Amino acid sequence: MAHTTTLLESPTSIRAVLKPPKNKTPVLPSICKPAPFSDEADAILERERCDYTLKISVAMAKAGTAPRPIRVYADGIYDLFHQGHARQLMQAKSLFNNVYLIVGVCSDELTHARKGKTVMSDAERYEAVRHCRYVDEVVRDAPWELDDDFLSEHKIDLVAHDEEPYTTGSGDDVYRHLKEKGMFVATERTEGVSTSDIVARIVKDYDMYVRRNLARGYSAKDLNVSFLREKKLMIQEKVDKLKDKSKRMFETIDERKSDIICKWEEKSRDFIDAFLLLFGREGRLHHMFNESKGRLMHALSPPVSPRREGREGSTSSSSSSLDFDETSSPPPKAARYESRSRRRSLSRDCSDEEDN
């Protein structure tokens, strides 16, 4: 509590506490809020602070000896504000040190009369430009050609624009007198981008953008499209979506094709191994078939009758030659018939000898 009382009683301590750090970077007003219009209080105050009696030339600005902020003016239509516009304003702001950039934007009435219809209204174009970080002040309803009265009213030191003559069909460069007076500074034009190029892209893909807006809830009346054309475009939109879906599906299949082939090869090897194990020459079914075949043959061909004792040697020897071991396989069918006929003939011979 005592420490708090000391701070309150000491003004030096209060200033030390409230003073920001020395290494803190100051924040520019143009970054924190949109640039003021030329008829607003901030712009008027800045203009009144400028001592326009101190004339600043291009050489003085390049040398860095300007005694005050250099008031540079750039103008244009700035329809569909794009990176080409922003880059032009960045170049104008970066021409010299300590530049105060004033940007003039032409009105709809003047632009439509001199150049053609715009996509954005003048109010929209004013707002687009004043929210660019490089702009310090915006002049609404800027003139097409800059006269001395306009330059004096806004205390303009130099004018920035690309160096190509800007005629718009009149034949005379509107910046010619400024170049002769030494008040013109050239900037570089950004190739490959312009408002006309953007409009051309929209016109080229008109049907696609109409379908896009119909899908987002715009009515045919909003887009100035007839009823039949609206239905045709909606059907075309559905067809295109189906094509895109099919294309993505095939792309997914192509990406997974290699994985599917590898997995199929692994599964096919397992399938072939299992097939050979079951149906191959040394497979289980082959062994089972051979075993069943042997049992069946043994059942169909039983062993021969046992040997007869007490017969004569010739009879014994002949019968013994026809006997088979019990463990041997059954004789063929033709051999059995031959053996039986021999036994019958031998029996008849023996019976004849006994009768004799």
Side-chain angles (χ1 to χ4, degrees), residues 96-114:
F96 318 105
N97 293 327
N98 199 18
V99 169
Y100 182 84
L101 182 60
I102 307 167
V103 180
V105 184
C106 300
S107 65
D108 283 349
E109 182 181 359
L110 182 60
T111 304
H112 296 170
R114 290 297 190 96

Side-chain angles (χ1 to χ4, degrees), residues 73 75-79 104-118 120-126 138-144:
Y73 179 83
D75 61 354
I77 309 301
Y78 301 108
D79 191 21
V105 184
C106 300
S107 65
D108 283 349
E109 182 181 359
L110 182 60
T111 304
H112 296 170
R114 290 297 190 96
K115 197 171 183 179
K117 186 170 178 59
T118 58
M120 300 170 66
S121 66
D122 49 9
E124 293 170 334
R125 292 185 283 111
Y126 299 153
V138 174
V139 178
R140 292 177 286 194
D141 194 10
W144 199 260

Side-chain angles (χ1 to χ4, degrees), residues 187-348:
T187 57
E188 294 181 3
R189 189 178 182 87
T190 304
E191 297 296 334
V193 59
S194 66
T195 302
S196 299
D197 292 338
I198 296 173
V199 173
R201 291 183 217 167
I202 296 173
V203 173
K204 179 181 177 181
D205 298 323
Y206 169 76
D207 286 352
M208 183 186 70
Y209 289 113
V210 171
R211 295 200 306 266
R212 169 182 176 268
N213 282 8
L214 287 173
R216 294 189 177 188
Y218 286 84
S219 66
K221 185 178 180 181
D222 296 334
L223 301 175
N224 195 23
V225 175
S226 65
F227 176 79
L228 293 177
R229 186 169 180 79
E230 176 192 10
K231 299 306 177 185
K232 177 183 176 182
L233 293 173
M234 291 179 68
I235 293 172
Q236 186 64 40
E237 180 71 14
K238 292 180 179 179
V239 171
D240 290 345
K241 286 183 178 179
L242 183 61
K243 288 181 180 178
D244 293 339
K245 186 176 180 181
S246 302
K247 183 178 179 181
R248 287 194 299 269
M249 182 180 68
F250 283 115
E251 288 176 353
T252 304
I253 291 174
D254 289 338
E255 292 174 358
R256 297 179 57 190
K257 183 167 62 176
S258 58
D259 296 336
I260 294 173
I261 291 174
C262 292
K263 291 179 180 179
W264 169 248
E265 288 179 350
E266 295 176 358
K267 295 293 184 182
S268 63
R269 290 194 195 98
D270 296 340
F271 178 77
I272 292 171
D273 292 341
F275 182 85
L276 293 176
L277 183 62
L278 189 60
F279 297 100
R281 182 173 295 178
E282 301 297 331
R284 296 175 182 174
L285 286 181
H286 183 73
H287 290 295
M288 292 171 60
F289 178 75
N290 289 339
E291 292 177 0
S292 301
K293 181 179 178 182
R295 292 172 185 167
L296 183 62
M297 293 299 294
H298 190 271
L300 293 177
S301 303
V304 297
S305 302
R307 296 186 182 94
R308 296 181 180 178
E309 296 180 357
R311 299 290 184 95
E312 294 179 2
S314 59
T315 308
S316 300
S317 59
S318 60
S319 61
S320 62
S321 62
L322 298 175
D323 291 337
F324 296 92
D325 192 1
E326 294 182 1
T327 59
S328 62
S329 60
K333 185 180 288 185
R336 293 203 307 270
Y337 292 152
E338 185 179 355
S339 175
R340 291 175 184 174
S341 61
R342 286 182 180 178
R343 284 200 297 272
R344 290 172 183 170
S345 61
L346 290 174
S347 300
R348 285 195 298 272

Side-chain angles (χ1 to χ4, degrees), residues 31-46:
I31 297 178
C32 298
K33 59 182 181 179
F37 293 117
S38 58
D39 54 355
E40 292 181 348
D42 291 344
I44 295 172
L45 180 62
E46 182 65 28

